[in-house]
Structures are given as structure tokens and as C-alpha cells.
Amino acid sequence: MKITKVLSFVALAMALPSMVQAQDLMAREAKADFLLKSSNVTKIINQAKANEEITYAKNIYGNHWNNDGVNVYKGMAKPEELVINLKDFSMPIKSRIVTSKYGYRPRFRRVHYGLDINGCTGDTIYAAFAGKVRVRKYDAKGFGYYIVLRHDNGLETVYGHLSKQLVNVNQEVKSGQPIGLCGNTGHSFGSHLHFETRVLGEAIDPALMFDIAAADMKADTYTYRSSGSHKATAAVAEPVLAQTKPAAAPAAATAAQPVQETAAAPQPKAEKHSAKSSHSTKAKAQSKVHKVQKGETLYSIARKHNTTVAEICKRNRIKENSTLRQGQSLTVK
Ligand SMILES: [Zn+2]
């Protein structure tokens, strides 16, 4: 076997016009062989690390760590309240254009569990936070080539329709580190990034945490509640109303209106994800979110919504002297 290989190699080398090319061929073979071995070693080391190391956000996920898919937490208890630190945020793609929002899509009779951000095939996709690669998979009928990262703040982020994955499972990544390239794989029509944020598998609208147009987070922290405000459709769609109808009073938004708003919005890209979540789309609408406008203070916001500064501070876990950011979302009721 070995002799046959050597002989065929010699025959090939002799067939080449010069010895220089033969040497080049040998060098290339040696390099490929070396790469194969070193990648195996990396794989073994990474697997050993994954088994030994404490997984990220252990207080929420315990020892639950597997590489199987997006929502692998069915039946696991969700934290009643979780303050998610967003300070480490990096934009997952250079584009700031959201082409499809989170929410129910009547046309497809299903919920879109993330944001679609415009992009070209080959654009670099970056880790939104420091963390560890939990999933690197291909899903032909849904996400295409995708990556799931777990972060120490309790979030998991999903990056779908990639043309290329640049990181391996169980690999540690820094915030802003390239993890893939934008693409159009899976159930997607046109290159874009499908970006999701989840807590124990439950999808949360990324627009509640991040202002994609401003390439920034909306506040330093976001408070997740297992029975909480992020599930209310009014809270999800309020910024849409504020953007499209600046003259209208966003405070008047009811639970039903934002759904129609989403329905009326153009659907530039049709897609379907196989990911399922226990997330309910039924509006609970007990809460109201106010988007901070230029020149507003806690006092003026409290007056506007017939509440108190102390109440707003308590709901948003901020101090009375906290600096408000334009566009910041505050739960007022
Ligand atoms: Zn999408």
C-alpha cells in the first residue's frame, strides 16, 4: 500500500516538467498532513476543556451544555427575574438596517424569533458578547449555517443564514470577535443576518435591548422576567410606532395596534425557521414602555405617564440621578 503510494507519487513527480514543481507538491502535501493532525489535536483539547470547565452563566443553565440546537432547555425552570448586563455589546454586523423585525408574521402564521439585519454575503459576523460557542450546525430548512453562543450575562445569541462559520463548538470567543460570514443559506431569500437573543431557549426581542440603527445597546442592563414585560406585544412594538408616527402619542398604543402595525409593514424577506420556543405571542400588555426623547427627564416622563420617579426607578432598576440616554426604553407601568 505504502510502496504503491510512493511509486505513484514518484511517477507523478517524474511527469512534471521540472523538479521545482515536484518540490512544491511535496511541500503542500506535508502542510496538509500537518494541518489535519493539528486540527484533530485542537478538537480533542476543546472537548476536554468543555467537559471540565464551568459553563457560562452556570447560575441559570447549571451543567446543561450541549451542542445540539437552539432551544434545548424545554422543561427547565426559568429565572423569575434576571438582570442582563449589556455593557460588553458589539454589533454583530456592520450594517445598521433592520429588514425584518421580531414578532408574529401573519403571512406565514408564525413568529419571527429574531431580527433580520441587512448584509452582503461575505460580510463579517461578530460575537455580540464574550462567550463560548455552544452550537455550530447546518439546518437546511431553517437557519442554514448557524452559530449559537452562550454568554456570561445569561443570554444566548443566534446567528443564522451564514455563508461560513469561523469558530468551532466549545471555543471561547471575545466580544466583537469574527465568528462567521454573512450569507443566504437555509430558508432565506437574500443575504442577511438573522440575529436572536434568548434566555434558556426563550426568545426575547433583540430590539428591546439594542438599538441597531444606533449600533448601541438601549441601556446598560435589561431585566428579563419569566412572566414579564418583554412578552407584552405593546412593549415590543412601541419603538415602531415612535419611529413611523413621531407626531402620534406612543403612550396611547394598545396591545392590539402593534400587531396590526407589524402586519401592515412590508415583508422584504420571507423566511421560516424551524426553531420553536415556548414563548407565547399572546399580548399580556400590563406594562408600558417609554422611549426617552431629547430633553426629557425622569420627572417629565413620570408626569406624562401619571406615575412617580421612584416608581420608574424601581421598575427599571435605575437611580433618580441616573443619566438618561436618548432612545432608551423605560418601563413606566
Ligand atoms: Zn430572520
Side-chain angles (χ1 to χ4, degrees), residues 56-57 61 65 69-71 73 84-86 88-92 113-115 117 125-137 143 145-160 162 167 173-177 179 193-206 209-210 212:
Y56 281 72
Y61 294 89
W65 177 268
V70 174
N71 188 1
Y73 307 110
I84 301 166
N85 185 347
L86 304 175
D88 189 28
F89 176 66
S90 297
M91 271 291 283
Y113 289 110
L115 289 181
I117 309 173
I125 303 300
Y126 307 94
F129 298 98
K132 192 167 179 174
V133 182
R134 189 171 64 74
V135 185
R136 174 200 160 123
K137 276 197 146 188
F143 293 116
Y145 288 106
Y146 71 101
I147 296 279
V148 180
L149 303 180
R150 184 184 295 172
H151 310 288
D152 218 19
N153 60 8
L155 280 181
E156 288 200 325
T157 51
V158 183
Y159 310 79
L162 307 177
V167 285
V173 293
K174 289 174 183 161
S175 180
Q177 182 177 328
I179 55 165
L193 170 67
H194 173 84
F195 178 63
E196 291 185 3
T197 44
R198 290 176 180 255
V199 168
L200 266 165
E202 182 182 339
I204 302 168
D205 182 0
M209 290 173 266
F210 314 110
I212 298 299

Side-chain angles (χ1 to χ4, degrees), residues 100 105 112 114-116 161 192-195 271 273:
S100 188
R105 289 174 163 180
H112 184 229
L115 289 181
D116 289 347
H161 310 309
H192 72 282
L193 170 67
H194 173 84
F195 178 63
E271 85 188 298
H273 297 308

